[in-house]
């Protein structure tokens, strides 16, 4: 009986591990829409790290396009094919919505090309601000599938903003993003 249970358990584990190897590891491309390269890099790396730790394989856009390049080139057919070859099926765009706690999720739905063509007029941190609202927009196959706002308060500098994102985003992902 013990041998039968052991063999059954072993075969289930072996089948599960083979299925994990065969199934493609689809990834999310994280794009930070910021004018300053250091802000873009800081946000993309922080978000990518958080996503990966919570089971969402992801890479920063700086691994796909050169620093200083216009992110709107990611909407071109040739780069979309390249992204598919890299097994990237989702795109997450992160930008600052503003420095107030009253911002709501935008109801304007746009395509990926329009979203990548926009630039952010805000920085991660502003001297007078005590809070900042980040907007996360997710696209799959060029169409928007989900949008959310993350509000970070009690900030005093750029490092405290990154620290707040690292603290609040996992809770937000578990609470709101699990349904999508």
């Amino acid at each position: 009986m013990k041998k039968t249970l052991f063999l059954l358990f072993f075969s289930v584990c072996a089948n599960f591990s083979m299925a994990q190897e065969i199934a493609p590891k689809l990834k999310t491309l994280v794009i930070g829409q910021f004018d300053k390269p250091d802000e873009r890099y800081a946000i993309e790396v922080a978000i990518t790290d958080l996503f990966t730790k919570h089971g969402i394989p992801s890479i920063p856009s700086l691994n796909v396009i050169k620093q200083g390049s216009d992110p709107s080139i990611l909407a071109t057919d040739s780069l979309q094919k390249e992204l598919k070859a890299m097994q990237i099926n989702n795109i997450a765009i992160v930008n600052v919505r503003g420095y107030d706690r009253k911002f709501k999720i935008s109801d304007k739905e746009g395509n990926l090309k329009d979203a990548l063509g926009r630039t952010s007029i805000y920085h991660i941190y502003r001297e007078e601000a005590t809070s900042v609202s980040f907007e996360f927009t997710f696209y799959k196959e060029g169409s928007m599938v989900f949008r959310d706002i993350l509000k970070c308060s009690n900030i005093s500098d750029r490092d405290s903003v990154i620290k707040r994102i690292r603290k609040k985003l996992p809770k937000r992902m578990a609470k709101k993003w699990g349904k999508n």
Side-chain angles (χ1 to χ4, degrees):
M1 180 73 176
K2 287 181 182 179
K3 288 181 183 179
T4 307
L5 286 174
F6 177 74
L7 287 174
L8 180 64
F9 176 74
F10 181 74
S11 66
V12 168
C13 289
N15 286 338
F16 179 73
S17 67
M18 285 192 314
Q20 290 286 340
E21 290 174 14
I22 294 170
K25 302 279 188 199
L26 298 175
K27 300 175 190 139
T28 299
L29 182 68
V30 178
I31 302 170
Q33 284 188 323
F34 300 98
D35 288 337
K36 291 184 175 181
D38 60 323
E39 289 183 351
R40 181 176 171 196
Y41 177 77
I43 289 293
E44 286 184 8
V45 168
I47 302 299
T48 300
D49 183 47
L50 286 171
F51 281 4
T52 304
K53 283 181 180 176
H54 289 85
I56 304 169
S58 57
I59 62 170
S61 70
L62 295 172
N63 287 4
V64 176
I65 59 174
K66 294 179 182 177
Q67 186 173 341
S69 296
D70 183 12
S72 63
I73 64 170
L74 290 168
T76 62
D77 291 337
S78 59
L79 268 168
Q80 284 293 313
K81 287 178 186 174
E82 191 176 317
L83 291 176
K84 282 186 181 183
M86 295 171 67
Q87 296 180 338
I88 296 172
N89 69 331
N90 294 318
I91 294 179
I93 298 176
V94 183
N95 58 27
V96 172
R97 185 71 188 250
Y99 302 104
D100 193 356
R101 294 182 205 153
K102 298 175 185 170
F103 286 100
K104 305 236 188 261
I105 297 172
S106 173
D107 58 354
K108 180 181 177 188
E109 287 197 29
N111 61 19
L112 179 61
K113 187 174 183 177
D114 293 341
L116 291 172
R118 288 187 221 122
T119 59
S120 178
I121 59 172
Y122 299 112
H123 298 286
I124 292 176
Y125 173 73
R126 188 173 72 187
E127 202 60 39
E128 316 80 46
T130 58
S131 69
V132 61
S133 296
F134 289 93
E135 183 175 52
F136 290 81
T137 310
F138 292 89
Y139 290 86
K140 187 171 190 160
E141 297 174 5
S143 300
M144 188 188 80
V145 291
F146 181 67
R147 182 178 279 160
D148 196 19
I149 297 272
L150 177 71
K151 299 168 186 168
C152 299
S153 56
N154 297 329
I155 58 170
S156 58
D157 58 10
R158 191 183 115 178
D159 292 337
S160 68
V161 173
I162 301 295
K163 188 185 213 181
R164 291 283 178 200
I165 289 173
R166 287 186 177 277
K167 183 179 179 182
K168 292 187 83 167
L169 188 59
K171 294 175 188 173
R172 186 70 176 194
M173 289 168 55
K175 183 179 177 183
K176 289 247 344 199
W177 297 7
K179 301 171 189 169
N180 298 309

